[in-house]
Amino acid sequence: MSDVQKKKFVVTRFDPDKDEVPKTQEYTIPVRPDWKVLDALNYIKDEVDGTISHRWSCRMAVCGSCGMLVNGEPKLTCSTPLDEYGDEVHVAPLSNFPVIRDLVVDLEGFLDKFKSVKPWIVRAKEKAVEEGPCRQTPEELHAFKQFSMCINCMLCYAACPVVANVPEFLGPAAIALGHRYNLDSRDEGAAERNEVFRGEGTVYECSYANECSEVCPKNVDPAAAINQAKLLAVLDWMKSFVTPRRGGE
Amino acid sequence: MEVFRHDIVIVGGGGAGLRAAIAAVEADPKASVALVSKVYPMRSHTVSAEGGAAGVAAPDDSLEMHFKDTVKGSDFLADQDCVDYFVEQAPKELTLLEHWGCPWSRDEEGRVAVRAFGGMTAKRTWFAADKVGFHMLHTLFQTSMRYDRIVRYDEQFVTKLLVDGGVVKGVAALDVREGTMRAILGRAVILATGGAGKCFPFTTNGTIKTGDGMALAYRAGIALKDMEFVQYHPTGLPGTGILITEASRGEGGHVINAQGERFLVTRDYGVGQKAELGPRDMISRAIMQEIAAGRGIKGPYGDYVHLDLRHLGEAKIMERLPFVRTLSKTYAGVDPVSEPIPIRPVVHYMMGGIDTNIDGATALPGLYAAGETACVSMNGANRLGSNSLTECLVFGARAGIRAIEFARGASVGSEAPLLAQAQEEATRIEDLRGRRKGGEKIAQIRREMQKTMEEGCGVYREQASMHESVRVMAQLRGRVSDLQLEDASKVFNTEILTALELANMVDVAEAIAVAAAARRESRGAHACSDYKARNDQEFLHHSLVTFTPGGPHLDRKPVTITRFQPEERKY
């Protein structure tokens, strides 16, 4: 490594058995010019301080494990180049989540919200395998594809000002994924999901800050999903006065 | 100690584990299934698969063609009854995924589209652009949420199989969040923990791929089968090892050397007319030979060659290979629309794994395995690209159904001996926590293991270096028990996880090296420089490695050949 450069990392540490509140710890380490933020954390873990805890796996921005705040912004650390930062880089756990330890946050709340939108195909009668695949035109696929790209990395929850104030808010990823099924030509569960969306703490809580779409590393555009979901939930509600409810019953 | 009770326990929440869980609850409306994973299921490494999943769909294709391609690709080491079952089930399983919402790419009429892949004579690879593993995993995970009888144990690391009276009856698991051990009991257990690419320094695999299930079974006395066959994917990014999908070649990409020559066309590397669509073992060897001949390009992470997609044009790249474009830009600093991508062969997949029969059943009653961690075997000496995602579905479903059938007929028996074992395991893990008295650092042993495995069991292998790998792994197995750990805390202690994973990898790596050194021939991915020819007379058999306190024990098992007699593997 001829072009060895050093950087200081200020990492938030928290062990619930020892610490009342989170503290920070500094590490100055050699870095390579092509490193991502995650590479530096892994170097610290392997060579400097084995007690630091963070989640990561694929290091190719698709497993969604390594979301953290880098200099205060929600980032996937495995795809965030270190050279975008100066000599000092702050790494902290994602905001708006309870912290379990160091850089590890609690995802259980999200998983409950996620399940509540029924993120699976709902059909009155399930199609038999023998009938073969459904037809779905490229246009029909395009209608929902973008919203199916969510990797559950939670950056949108960390960025969302509504989640910060109303922790029960269903949140950007869960709404986008529920909406994704509502838009799928193979699905018949929109009525059930729209009922969820019309409940408290869901689509109407959104304040259009658009922060979720700005931090999304996969261009899912959850803000657009929330807007569309809101409109469809209202239309569905109005339609329910005119026509009997479709769906599971 | 906390104790949880279910009908079956599945270890691993990737493609095979999730499919097994869904199959089990659908087969038995009362079944209670524990799904135990060291990560949240959507983080499982299935997520990183890119190119597609094979299953006959087009009118010009047939099950027989898929069968023959797979057997030939395996260099005749696949069990042909397994391959038959696989190709027959493949379209049904992929159709099920379609019904569950997988966003398969479509043709203009709305039919599922298929693309070309290496070693396949017809287009039969189903795809969702180039994020197939991601979409399959999320479809399976989201569909699994429908079933309340699938009870998830997320971020729980299984450290031991609980066995009593010669039957498996559950697992001991470390709850990473709490730092406590628990017993999760069931009348059958399915291991679906994926591969072990992290035994090597340069791999497409995520950091979680540490051979955990293989090591669990191995230590319980179950043989690991065909471990010498390690697949190098021809096209990984230098340095990181990030996968650039074979679909890049399926869609028409070229592999070129420093002179811009398409050497798979201009030189004889055994791939014939297939050129870039040859099987992975052959293309990886061709690239290594080009580099050895000085026709590679020098880079900071060693020599490499180029994958050229420029002639495909931006529109096709954006429609079919958008992820490849993003990965190339983010991790190699090149835009494939205007520049070739630097690539070199990289460890990708373990053809070998836990020895099972066609049902996924192992020699230990009640224990099943599916997916990459298993060797049923349908991949033989070389797996064809896009067969493994489908394998997770086909054999995951079968193992799920067979395991729940087994559980129905099995009795619970006394829990006392199981809980005693789990308690012993709790003591062992507790001793490891913050173990300052040890003398070895995790990262140091891991580096030595990875370096030795690359040198001894790479694309090309020599007897001397394979034996050296065997020697070093035996030594590392001893040294792993002298680890020094700094973190004495309980909550989310990842250091203890890393230590346990390292011990798993050393066991698996040793099995790989031992099996490799014993196979004195070249077949599929096992290219032995001292024995360049395939030798059916002596080596047309599976190899089995069994754990004994004195070291690994080697054995062999016949290959099932039904109707496709071994012939010279030429394309």
Side-chain angles (χ1 to χ4, degrees):
Chain A
M1 290 204 291
S2 54
D3 38 6
V4 171
Q5 194 201 339
K6 289 200 165 191
K7 267 191 209 288
K8 179 156 87 179
F9 291 85
V10 183
V11 180
T12 303
R13 304 295 310 268
F14 176 68
D15 177 352
D17 289 334
K18 282 192 285 200
D19 306 317
E20 292 279 317
V21 289
K23 59 189 183 193
T24 57
Q25 195 163 348
E26 295 181 1
Y27 305 92
T28 300
I29 58 161
V31 297
R32 287 181 78 127
D34 58 349
W35 270 9
K36 311 298 183 202
V37 173
L38 178 65
D39 294 311
L41 283 174
N42 288 340
Y43 180 91
I44 294 169
K45 173 89 181 162
D46 280 350
E47 312 296 338
V48 186
D49 184 352
T51 71
I52 197 168
S53 276
H54 63 292
R55 289 189 183 110
W56 69 288
S57 177
C58 76
R59 50 80 180 99
M60 56 192 280
V62 71
C63 81
S65 308
C66 70
M68 296 169 211
L69 295 186
V70 183
N71 282 3
E73 279 180 68
K75 294 280 184 189
L76 272 188
T77 53
C78 75
S79 62
T80 302
L82 257 189
D83 64 10
E84 288 181 1
Y85 299 92
D87 294 338
E88 189 173 305
V89 186
H90 290 248
V91 185
L94 288 178
S95 39
N96 299 341
F97 288 92
V99 176
I100 296 175
R101 160 86 186 265
D102 295 343
L103 302 164
V104 178
V105 298
D106 188 349
L107 302 180
E108 292 301 318
F110 164 71
L111 283 156
D112 292 340
K113 292 172 184 173
F114 189 19
K115 187 175 174 182
S116 77
V117 303
K118 298 189 171 88
W120 53 79
I121 293 281
V122 175
R123 287 173 77 96
K125 186 177 175 296
E126 287 196 25
K127 208 169 143 110
V129 176
E130 295 70 32
E131 294 173 55
C134 307
R135 289 279 180 120
Q136 184 168 63
T137 65
E139 293 70 34
E140 286 170 328
L141 172 64
H142 182 75
F144 73 89
K145 182 77 187 285
Q146 178 178 20
F147 302 130
S148 75
M149 304 300 275
C150 172
I151 62 172
N152 305 167
C153 68
M154 301 293 103
L155 300 196
C156 55
Y157 285 72
C160 175
V162 181
V163 175
N165 289 317
V166 188
E168 338 48 276
F169 176 43
L170 206 47
I175 296 172
L177 285 160
H179 184 59
R180 164 250 180 277
Y181 282 96
N182 278 353
L183 296 181
D184 192 319
S185 58
R186 298 166 291 189
D187 181 78
E188 297 168 352
E192 295 173 41
R193 283 184 214 99
N194 282 330
E195 216 163 303
V196 176
F197 286 159
R198 286 193 298 266
E200 273 193 34
T202 77
V203 291
Y204 304 110
E205 293 285 343
C206 172
S207 62
Y208 299 115
N210 206 47
E211 301 281 349
C212 52
S213 294
E214 277 164 35
V215 298
C216 178
K218 298 285 137 184
N219 302 313
V220 171
D221 201 355
I226 297 172
N227 262 329
Q228 294 172 18
K230 193 183 287 190
L231 184 65
L232 291 178
V234 172
L235 284 175
D236 181 68
W237 177 73
M238 288 163 63
K239 256 197 298 193
S240 72
F241 291 104
V242 204
T243 50
R245 171 135 308 159
R246 298 167 297 131
E249 283 92 344
Chain B
M1 173 168 322
E2 276 189 291
V3 184
F4 301 88
R5 296 168 184 87
H6 297 275
D7 293 317
I8 66 170
V9 180
I10 298 172
V11 186
L18 286 166
R19 182 67 190 95
I22 295 170
V25 292
E26 292 204 326
D28 180 346
K30 289 204 199 89
S32 161
V33 174
L35 186 68
V36 189
S37 169
K38 68 176 177 179
V39 293
Y40 280 94
M42 67 278 196
R43 313 304 188 207
S44 305
H45 195 63
T46 302
V47 82
S48 295
E50 295 173 22
V56 169
D60 62 345
D61 196 4
S62 71
L63 298 182
E64 185 65 14
M65 284 160 73
H66 193 185
F67 167 84
K68 284 197 131 179
D69 288 346
T70 301
V71 173
K72 184 175 174 183
S74 82
D75 220 347
F76 298 92
L77 203 69
D79 286 339
Q80 296 183 9
D81 55 340
C82 289
V83 179
D84 257 327
Y85 180 73
F86 167 75
V87 300
E88 181 199 305
Q89 293 298 313
K92 296 180 199 167
E93 284 291 329
L94 295 172
T95 299
L96 261 183
L97 260 274
E98 197 279 338
H99 291 176
W100 292 344
C102 191
W104 297 117
S105 293
R106 306 284 175 155
D107 66 15
E108 285 309 313
E109 275 76 52
R111 287 181 295 252
V112 170
V114 281
R115 68 168 30 137
F117 241 70
M120 303 280 191
T121 47
K123 288 187 178 181
R124 64 169 71 101
T125 298
W126 301 38
F127 61 99
D130 54 354
K131 277 201 177 170
V132 184
F134 163 78
H135 285 298
M136 283 179 57
L137 180 71
H138 281 250
T139 300
L140 285 164
F141 177 55
Q142 291 166 16
T143 301
S144 79
M145 288 188 187
R146 286 170 62 180
Y147 302 95
D148 289 331
R149 287 173 296 119
I150 299 174
V151 181
R152 289 207 322 271
Y153 294 82
D154 297 330
E155 300 197 314
Q156 321 240 340
F157 186 79
V158 173
T159 65
K160 194 177 195 294
L161 298 173
L162 302 177
V163 181
D164 184 46
V167 183
V168 72
K169 290 184 172 170
V171 301
L174 171 66
D175 177 359
V176 181
R177 180 169 179 162
E178 299 295 331
T180 51
M181 290 294 288
R182 39 183 44 184
I184 307 173
L185 306 182
R187 297 191 302 282
V189 173
I190 304 174
L191 297 172
T193 57
K198 293 303 282 185
C199 292
F200 291 79
F202 184 63
T203 174
T204 60
N205 286 194
T207 193
I208 58 175
K209 297 329 310 171
T210 51
D212 304 326
M214 295 179 193
L216 284 170
Y218 184 57
R219 281 186 215 133
I222 307 304
L224 299 182
K225 182 166 65 190
D226 293 342
M227 292 302 286
E228 62 271 41
F229 300 105
V230 176
Q231 178 160 80
Y232 277 75
H233 195 291
T235 60
L237 295 182
T240 59
I242 286 170
L243 172 68
I244 299 298
T245 174
E246 183 163 319
S248 307
R249 285 172 282 133
E251 297 294 346
H254 295 158
V255 181
I256 55 176
N257 62 20
Q259 284 97 52
E261 174 192 349
R262 262 181 86 189
F263 52 88
L264 292 162
V265 174
T266 56
R267 295 170 195 269
D268 182 12
Y269 285 116
V271 293
Q273 297 291 315
K274 284 198 174 293
E276 276 88 355
L277 286 176
R280 289 176 177 173
D281 55 340
M282 291 181 169
I283 295 191
S284 286
R285 284 195 287 273
I287 294 171
M288 295 311 279
Q289 287 195 37
E290 286 293 306
I291 288 173
R295 293 190 291 270
I297 300 125
K298 297 231 173 300
Y301 298 99
D303 293 359
Y304 59 85
V305 298
H306 276 139
L307 175 65
D308 192 356
L309 307 183
R310 288 174 293 187
H311 54 285
L312 302 183
E314 184 167 1
K316 188 164 187 184
I317 289 173
M318 286 312 289
E319 187 213 328
R320 297 290 178 100
L321 304 164
F323 194 33
V324 161
R325 189 177 187 191
T326 307
L327 289 171
S328 302
K329 283 178 163 179
T330 309
Y331 297 99
V334 302
D335 183 350
V337 169
S338 52
E339 297 158 279
I341 309 168
I343 51 101
R344 54 160 283 196
V346 50
V347 168
H348 184 56
Y349 183 88
M350 299 293 154
M351 266 72 74
I354 300 163
D355 177 28
T356 76
N357 66 14
I358 195 169
D359 290 328
T362 71
L364 175 62
L367 184 66
Y368 296 77
E372 189 176 347
T373 204
C375 181
V376 293
S377 62
M378 57 159 277
N379 299 307
N382 176 64
R383 173 176 73 80
L384 292 187
S386 76
N387 265 354
S388 71
L389 282 175
T390 316
E391 176 184 2
C392 286
L393 302 174
V394 169
F395 289 101
R398 183 147 173 164
I401 291 164
R402 291 292 185 256
I404 201 72
E405 285 170 0
F406 181 93
R408 249 187 244 139
S411 72
V412 188
S414 165
E415 286 184 1
L418 306 171
L419 301 185
Q421 286 174 40
Q423 194 54 54
E424 238 176 81
E425 195 58 7
T427 309
R428 179 178 81 93
I429 303 298
E430 210 40 57
D431 281 350
L432 197 59
R433 190 184 305 279
R435 188 178 178 280
R436 289 196 168 273
K437 62 180 182 227
E440 300 269 8
K441 285 197 76 149
I442 294 172
Q444 176 57 31
I445 295 192
R446 190 170 55 214
R447 260 196 302 272
E448 281 187 49
M449 170 193 68
Q450 292 176 336
K451 180 169 176 284
T452 311
M453 290 307 287
E454 184 177 51
E455 286 166 4
C457 300
V459 173
Y460 285 101
R461 298 143 173 213
E462 288 172 4
Q463 280 293 310
S465 58
M466 283 185 274
H467 283 290
E468 174 64 7
S469 295
V470 173
R471 190 188 67 77
V472 174
M473 289 313 128
Q475 190 211 67
L476 290 182
R477 187 155 43 81
R479 285 168 57 191
V480 138
S481 59
D482 186 36
L483 282 179
Q484 187 197 79
L485 276 78
E486 301 166 42
D487 192 352
S489 65
K490 286 197 87 89
V491 175
F492 224 96
N493 181 331
T494 49
E495 190 189 36
I496 203 165
L497 270 191
T498 317
L500 293 165
E501 289 173 333
L502 178 63
N504 288 344
M505 285 192 285
V506 169
D507 275 352
V508 172
E510 187 177 23
I512 292 171
V514 165
R519 187 172 284 277
R520 291 181 305 281
E521 66 159 351
S522 289
R523 181 188 300 271
H526 179 69
C528 188
S529 308
D530 320 81
Y531 301 91
K532 293 200 169 82
R534 195 175 87 194
N535 179 350
D536 283 349
Q537 271 198 321
E538 281 184 82
F539 292 104
L540 183 56
H541 61 70
H542 299 296
S543 60
L544 299 177
V545 184
T546 313
F547 175 86
T548 77
H553 172 75
L554 251 174
D555 211 342
R556 52 175 59 183
K557 187 176 176 177
V559 177
T560 305
I561 294 167
T562 55
R563 64 177 182 280
F564 191 4
Q565 289 306 313
E567 59 185 34
E568 193 192 350
R569 182 166 167 246
K570 262 173 64 178
Y571 289 94

